Amino acid sequence: MKRAVDLVVRGGKVVSPHGIVAAGLAVQDGVIVAVAENEALPDARETIDAAGRYVIPGVVDPHVHFRSPGFEYKEDWASGTAAAALGGVTTVLEMPNSDPPTSTLEGLRVKQAVAARDAHVDYGLYGMLGQGNLGDLPDLARHGVIGLKCFMGNNPIGHCDDGALLEGFEIAAELGLRVAVHAENATIIERRSARLRDAGRRDPLAHLESRPSVCAVDAVGRVIAFAEAAGSRVHITHESCQDTLPLIRSGKARGVEVTAETCPHYLILTAEDMKARGPILRVNPPIREAGHADGLWAGLVDGTIDMLATDHAPHTAAEKMADNIWESWSGFGGLETALPVMLTEVHRGRITLPQYVTWACLAPARAWGLYPRKGVLQVGADADIVILDLDHEDTIRGERFRSKSKLTPFEGMSIRGRPLWTIVRGRVVVRDGALEGRPGWGRMVTRDAR
Ligand code: DOR
Ligand code: ZN
């Protein structure tokens, strides 16, 4: 008789970028030790019956804001990572715009302590790249940041002008860090918003008008030009605008190491929804006019856009729901809706499960140096496993979220499909739809030295 392992998941249909195979998984010490026909699996101390269900690698979300330290009233690491686990996300990469920001070694240590205490799932931490902290970047790299994040102006904490951006990219190239950039032209936005405000505009669509496509086209162009000059790896966050895609495509064709992400809200919603639903949809960059989403879907399918992210950016109802659009905060949660929303698109025939796994699991793991530990179900990988209930029909209701923020732009949407079990390094964190993990199981991940 074979030696018993810790855990076996049997009877499922295992999804990879290449296809779907009927197979079982065996797990020992948090690592996958066999992907095999069910009859060939060893005995186990715990067996999960996944008969008839699809089994995917845990989702790697490369863009979340957990607000702690500093803004725990919006979200904290326990609530944010619980929301992640319930959304089938087993690794989050968390943004540095907290207070203190993750812009110095001290700031990183504060966040590491909070995350180590509270996290239900694994996490990587971005360091801030701002024009005030270029000298701190080597320390941040040495202490394991997964990458850097930079805002091109228009953010109170840690933005870069062009000079600092290029220099930051040069330093990042030496340190081997990829830089995620919020690519919008801040001075255009400042002037347009002032003009619209002066004209008495307070309606939701004024937000979109203050950030026209050219803001994204210009900023993405500069990021790629600077990355090419500096020889650095860069990442365009939350791509909202189809007009930037030719720039990304031609950058990639020239060998620039540029990756890009988009989010479910840019793929599913349009400015018409913002007009109807108001400030809940306010986000930066903005949800654009009809037509952009089709371009973004096409960009995912042809590989111009590499991956999906949520940009989980929770705020309170009081902060979001202002009559005057300029007083509403930008951003909303997304961790508990992304997978059901995308599975609904699988049912609609727009995408396949292997495509979803490519964009949500494999590509972010690869870009951020976590592959093949994360993002795949194969021998030697961490046992981050999600079992789907693909036929579950439901309506999105924010009041049911585990996140502190109960607001979602997808409120009332009919969905089909949800994550049912979430396993992080061999431990069941969500069992049959219910959170059972405890804070502190999540571990910090660092990029593989390359
Ligand atoms: O809408 C946004 N919210 N965009 C950002 O870039 C930041 C984020 C936040 O932190 O709230
Ligand atoms: Zn963000």
Side-chain angles (χ1 to χ4, degrees), residues 94-384:
E94 206 266 347
M95 289 294 169
N97 55 333
S98 43
D99 184 19
T102 317
S103 56
T104 62
L105 184 52
E106 182 51 32
L108 177 62
R109 289 208 161 118
V110 173
K111 185 167 283 182
Q112 272 179 295
V114 175
R117 188 190 65 199
D118 288 347
H120 289 279
V121 303
D122 286 354
Y123 52 91
L125 301 178
Y126 286 98
M128 181 72 85
L129 163 55
Q131 55 200 38
N133 78 326
L134 296 182
D136 291 296
L137 303 181
D139 258 355
L140 291 171
R142 245 192 320 279
H143 288 83
V145 294
I146 198 78
L148 300 171
K149 169 68 182 292
C150 178
F151 292 85
M152 292 171 81
N154 202 43
N155 184 285
I157 315 165
H159 68 271
C160 274
D161 62 21
D162 284 351
L165 194 63
L166 179 59
E167 205 170 310
F169 283 4
E170 287 163 357
I171 298 168
E174 267 169 42
L175 298 171
L177 291 175
R178 185 178 294 272
V179 186
V181 187
H182 182 130
E184 287 189 289
N185 178 311
T187 61
I188 294 176
I189 295 166
E190 272 160 34
R191 290 191 75 94
R192 295 260 160 156
S193 342
R195 208 168 76 189
L196 289 157
R197 268 177 221 245
D198 289 348
R201 293 284 302 276
R202 305 148 52 96
D203 57 293
L205 286 186
H207 177 67
L208 172 56
E209 281 179 47
S210 72
R211 313 174 92 98
S213 288
V214 67
C215 294
V217 171
D218 165 66
V220 167
R222 271 184 288 146
V223 168
I224 292 173
F226 292 1
E228 189 163 17
S232 63
R233 298 188 190 115
V234 288
H235 177 73
I236 309 294
T237 57
H238 41 49
E239 187 53 79
S240 67
C241 176
Q242 63 170 344
D243 306 337
T244 65
L245 299 183
L247 295 168
I248 299 172
R249 206 172 287 129
S250 74
K252 284 185 171 186
R254 294 196 304 281
V256 183
E257 289 204 56
V258 53
T259 51
E261 69 185 29
T262 189
C263 314
H265 43 277
Y266 301 118
L267 293 167
I268 306 285
L269 303 172
T270 68
E272 284 302 309
D273 296 295
M274 175 125 184
K275 198 169 163 192
R277 310 263 320 280
I280 172 62
L281 271 70
R282 183 178 154 160
V283 63
N284 298 332
I287 292 166
R288 297 190 184 280
E289 300 85 351
H292 281 278
D294 284 343
L296 297 174
W297 282 113
L300 274 168
V301 170
D302 73 19
T304 307
I305 299 176
D306 302 85
M307 67 190 78
L308 292 166
T310 61
D311 192 10
H312 180 84
H315 299 288
T316 66
E319 288 169 332
K320 288 265 339 152
M321 303 314 277
D323 286 339
N324 179 348
I325 194 63
W326 308 112
E327 284 165 15
S328 170
W329 290 63
S330 291
F332 37 72
L335 281 164
E336 287 167 89
T337 50
L339 187 42
V341 164
M342 296 305 288
L343 293 178
T344 304
E345 294 301 315
V346 171
H347 282 292
R348 290 201 177 118
R350 195 193 268 273
I351 60 170
T352 66
L353 276 176
Q355 280 177 315
Y356 176 74
V357 161
T358 305
W359 303 327
C361 311
L362 176 69
R366 265 222 173 110
W368 299 102
L370 300 174
Y371 175 85
R373 200 160 24 116
K374 306 290 193 189
V376 280
L377 295 174
Q378 66 185 34
V379 172
D382 282 355
D384 298 339

Side-chain angles (χ1 to χ4, degrees), residues 23-87:
L25 304 168
V27 176
Q28 177 68 35
D29 299 323
V31 172
I32 296 173
V33 291
V35 182
E37 286 177 14
N38 293 295
E39 307 72 55
L41 291 170
D43 290 337
R45 277 177 281 284
E46 179 174 6
T47 297
I48 298 172
D49 179 12
R53 301 212 185 275
Y54 290 90
V55 179
I56 64 170
V59 172
V60 178
D61 187 342
H63 189 156
V64 304
H65 301 259
F66 284 162
R67 307 303 192 200
S68 181
F71 308 102
E72 288 80 2
Y73 69 95
K74 295 178 198 260
E75 192 75 294
D76 62 33
W77 276 79
S79 59
T81 55
L86 288 163

